[in-house]
């Protein structure tokens, strides 16, 4: 029986204070023990789980589908599941991921299909009771996303070309992030994804990011708790 989003105990993106949140990208986990890996990174201090959904068309890789998300929902009741849809036809997948128990769906501004219109897709996601995000790739001009900044709860700046974990962070996206963060209404989360690690997290936060996604830097760390805390950085008194 799918769990309705409003029944989840904790919706990290909307209910949490505006402190930096850390999302573990499950693409970096050991897939032979996915549920245990998810619980481990949450116990180590992550705020939410980031699930990279790839369709083999929008990006040259295949990863997670609704059944896998449903499995993680069973393993992790009450944990915010943020699905990053790197797919050409996002509207086709809203219902399956809602039923799977996702809390949040991010689509891409580059998905070019009549049924990928960002504003219409955001409305469908919200109608289903979830929050919506819009992602932009490193090579895409900021102008492409600006008309939609008020239509989403979250804006995702990709700091690698999407498709694979383990790539190097592209510092040139920081200027774009700063401009996007200045243009977005207050309360809209700014997320960074790709090569995020303790060494560049401060620059991401300074550019305005308040949701930092990491796969390799968390799952490959010897001490996951300390990696997560370094990525999060200092939490102000007002936020704690
Ligand atoms: C890339 C994915 C990322 C990726 C991050 O297409 O969207 O979420 O898993 O992996 P790292 O942190 O290893 O770059
Ligand atoms: Zn992602």
């Amino acid at each position: 029986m799918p769990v309705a989003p409003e029944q989840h105990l904790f919706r990290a993106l909307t209910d949490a204070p505006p402190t930096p949140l850390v999302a573990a990208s499950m693409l970096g986990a050991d897939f032979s023990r996915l549920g245990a890996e998810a619980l481990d990174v949450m116990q180590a201090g992550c705020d939410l789980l980031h699930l990279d959904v790839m369709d083999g068309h929008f990006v040259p890789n295949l990863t997670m589908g609704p059944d896998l998300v449903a499995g993680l929902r069973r393993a992790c009741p009450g944990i915010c599941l943020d699905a990053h849809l790197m797919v050409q036809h996002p509207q086709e997948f809203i219902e399956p991921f809602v039923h799977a128990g996702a809390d949040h769906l991010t689509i891409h501004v580059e998905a070019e299909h009549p049924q990928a219109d960002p504003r219409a897709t955001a409305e469908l996601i919200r109608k289903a009771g979830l929050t919506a995000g819009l992602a932009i790739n490193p090579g895409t001009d900021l102008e492409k996303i600006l008309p939609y900044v008020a239509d989403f709860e979250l804006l995702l700046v990709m700091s690698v070309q999407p498709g694979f974990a383990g790539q190097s962070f592209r510092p040139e996206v920081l200027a774009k992030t700063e401009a996007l963060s200045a243009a977005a209404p207050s309360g809209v989360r700014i997320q960074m994804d790709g090569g995020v690690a303790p060494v560049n997290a401060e620059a991401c936060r300074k550019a305005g990011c308040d949701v930092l996604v990491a796969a390799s830097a968390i799952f490959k760390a010897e001490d996951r708790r300390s990696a997560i805390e370094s990525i999060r950085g200092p939490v102000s008194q007002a936020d704690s």
Side-chain angles (χ1 to χ4, degrees):
M1 203 34 195
V3 182
E6 54 276 12
Q7 285 175 266
H8 296 167
L9 298 173
F10 180 52
R11 299 187 65 190
L13 290 169
T14 47
D15 295 351
T19 187
L21 301 176
V22 180
S25 161
M26 294 305 295
L27 207 50
D30 175 352
F31 275 30
S32 72
R33 34 192 304 277
L34 214 48
E37 287 274 79
L39 292 172
D40 184 70
V41 289
M42 290 305 295
Q43 269 159 15
C46 277
D47 301 286
L48 61 149
L49 299 176
H50 179 87
L51 311 176
D52 288 301
V53 176
M54 304 187 189
D55 67 354
H57 295 281
F58 184 75
V59 286
N61 197 3
L62 288 166
T63 51
M64 307 172 180
D67 288 345
L68 186 145
V69 174
L72 277 172
R73 169 51 67 217
R74 288 194 298 278
C76 309
I79 289 172
C80 180
L81 300 181
D82 153 26
H84 174 191
L85 303 186
M86 286 159 274
V87 304
Q88 201 64 269
H89 303 165
Q91 291 189 6
E92 286 177 17
F93 294 101
I94 296 174
E95 210 206 323
F97 283 108
V98 170
H99 283 284
D103 295 282
H104 171 91
L105 300 181
T106 288
I107 60 167
H108 267 264
V109 73
E110 298 86 3
E112 277 175 2
H113 185 269
Q115 285 191 356
D117 172 68
R119 205 165 282 128
T121 311
E123 274 171 30
L124 289 171
I125 293 171
R126 217 166 290 112
K127 220 164 149 187
L130 280 66
T131 49
L134 187 61
I136 181 166
N137 284 340
T140 305
D141 285 343
L142 179 67
E143 283 61 42
K144 187 116 193 246
I145 200 173
L146 288 179
Y148 307 111
V149 293
D151 295 300
F152 288 84
E153 281 80 24
L154 177 147
L155 301 167
L156 163 55
V157 181
M158 288 303 303
S159 35
V160 298
Q161 190 57 25
F164 300 91
Q167 303 180 69
S168 299
F169 182 81
R170 296 193 184 191
E172 68 268 22
V173 303
L174 289 168
K176 182 158 80 176
T177 308
E178 219 168 297
L180 181 62
S181 154
S186 111
V188 172
R189 293 276 186 187
I190 308 288
Q191 188 176 50
M192 187 76 94
D193 181 14
V196 174
V199 69
N200 54 42
E202 189 182 358
C204 299
R205 296 191 304 269
K206 279 194 172 145
C209 286
D210 59 1
V211 188
L212 295 131
V213 177
S216 313
I218 294 175
F219 284 99
K220 289 197 161 77
E222 263 180 40
D223 180 345
R224 290 178 173 179
R225 177 172 293 277
S226 115
I228 292 162
E229 286 320 306
S230 314
I231 291 170
R232 188 194 316 283
V235 177
S236 75
Q237 284 302 327
D239 292 338
S240 56

